[in-house]
Amino acid sequence: MNILDDVRQSVIDGNMEVTQKLVQKALAENVPAEQILKDGLILAMSEVGRLFESGEFFVPEMLISARAMKSGLALLQPHLAAANIQAIGKVVIGTMQGDLHDIGKNLVGMMLEGTGFEVIDLGVDVSPQKFVEAVKEHQPDLIGCSALLTTTMPRMKDVVTALKEAGLRDRVKVMIGGAPITEKYAHDIGADIYAPDAASAATRARQSLN
Ligand code: B1M
């Protein structure tokens, strides 16, 4: 077992303290933060999802695993976000109204920061109107919408519509993502960018500025 196997197991066990200790240990052993994230924390949550789907985990187990993962993420954040980079652009991100999943959205935020964006995070359960208000207030280059539930995906279309109605659609690009989202869905609702994961979200957001 290497340290990343232990990190994964601690997240699956939902043991926040052990996750934090192991993430710190991995950093001290010079394991790159990106690798701890990808091969430790993210893989663990995929396994948690599989256990949930197969009926071995229920919501409470998922929740404590998610907490453990977030505690590990918090330790990685300073290592992932490149220091002293002047902002190349501004992004407002949030999880769709009715949706409380924020781990993926937080990762996307970190990767965007890491690639040089200033990130304004509206949190979870964000209404289309709140996105519109944030665009008026912060004048971002992009907004990033995350949805993990098939029931909250349609709110992304509502965001695009609300931006059009407010006369702001041409001022901001819309990027969407989340487990149930596809390139086709992004195209169908008139979003500008689809990203399947946090790393490509950062790359595609950056490319969209050119
Ligand atoms: Co929920 N949940 N959950 N859950 N949960 C899923 C999403 C589910 C697929 C599980 C399952 O049934 N297999 C299922 C959705 C089914 C569906 O809609 N078809 C589900 C359900 C049903 C529910 C509840 C309804 C359960 C219930 O109460 N009966 C409930 C809903 C609550 C609500 O939101 N209103 C619920 C609750 C929860 C917890 C609170 C317990 C917890 C969330 C904790 C938190 O986020 N703070 C939770 C968790 C942890 C999960 C799973 C297991 C893991 C999600 C996760 O964090 N993945 C998930 C199963 C799964 O995904 N396999 C599940 C790790 C994360 C790194 O990946 O979020 O996909 P992900 O993000 C990726 C990409 O999608 C992408 O990049 C990220 C990083 O690479 N991405 C973007 C995400 N946003 C992006 C935005 C972008 C670009 C890329 O641009 C802006």
Side-chain angles (χ1 to χ4, degrees):
M1 290 259 284
N2 71 26
I3 181 109
L4 295 181
D5 293 329
D6 294 341
V7 169
R8 278 200 299 278
Q9 193 55 51
S10 70
V11 172
I12 294 165
D13 294 341
N15 196 329
M16 198 161 93
E17 271 178 25
V18 174
T19 301
Q20 286 179 322
K21 274 188 194 142
L22 289 169
V23 166
Q24 267 158 344
K25 188 165 177 247
L27 286 169
E29 288 177 11
N30 293 322
V31 181
E34 291 85 351
Q35 198 186 347
I36 303 172
L37 177 63
K38 202 165 146 270
D39 299 336
L41 302 180
I42 292 180
L43 267 188
M45 288 312 290
S46 305
E47 176 61 8
V48 170
R50 195 196 63 72
L51 290 166
F52 184 72
E53 276 160 33
S54 65
E56 288 165 76
F57 265 26
F58 296 96
V59 174
E61 283 98 339
M62 251 193 335
L63 192 53
I64 58 167
S65 288
R67 280 192 193 142
M69 185 201 183
K70 281 172 95 170
S71 73
L73 267 184
L75 295 171
L76 291 181
Q77 186 154 23
H79 299 266
L80 293 169
N84 301 323
I85 292 180
Q86 192 163 15
I88 57 166
K90 206 188 275 185
V91 191
V92 164
I93 59 169
T95 301
M96 295 298 93
Q97 189 166 32
D99 199 328
L100 303 176
H101 296 85
D102 66 355
I103 296 174
K105 184 261 301 164
N106 293 346
L107 274 173
V108 169
M110 276 184 216
M111 293 302 288
L112 287 167
E113 277 178 2
T115 200
F117 282 94
E118 178 188 348
V119 176
I120 294 138
D121 188 346
L122 302 179
V124 296
D125 193 19
V126 182
S127 67
Q129 200 46 42
K130 204 167 168 198
F131 273 106
V132 168
E133 281 156 21
V135 170
K136 285 184 189 156
E137 185 185 344
H138 301 288
Q139 311 206 333
D141 303 281
L142 265 105
I143 62 170
C145 299
S146 178
L148 262 285
L149 299 171
T150 45
T151 50
T152 58
M153 285 167 67
R155 300 292 79 74
M156 293 173 155
K157 186 165 194 276
D158 296 345
V159 170
V160 174
T161 305
L163 287 170
K164 278 186 193 153
E165 284 172 0
L168 296 168
R169 183 63 187 95
D170 296 337
R171 279 213 240 149
V172 68
K173 294 209 166 96
V174 177
M175 176 164 71
I176 68 169
I181 309 302
T182 61
E183 184 102 55
K184 180 178 181 309
Y185 184 71
H187 180 261
D188 289 349
I189 68 164
D192 303 293
I193 309 163
Y194 160 71
D197 54 53
S200 61
T203 311
R204 291 175 192 190
R206 198 177 181 122
Q207 284 165 351
S208 78
L209 296 181
N210 300 327

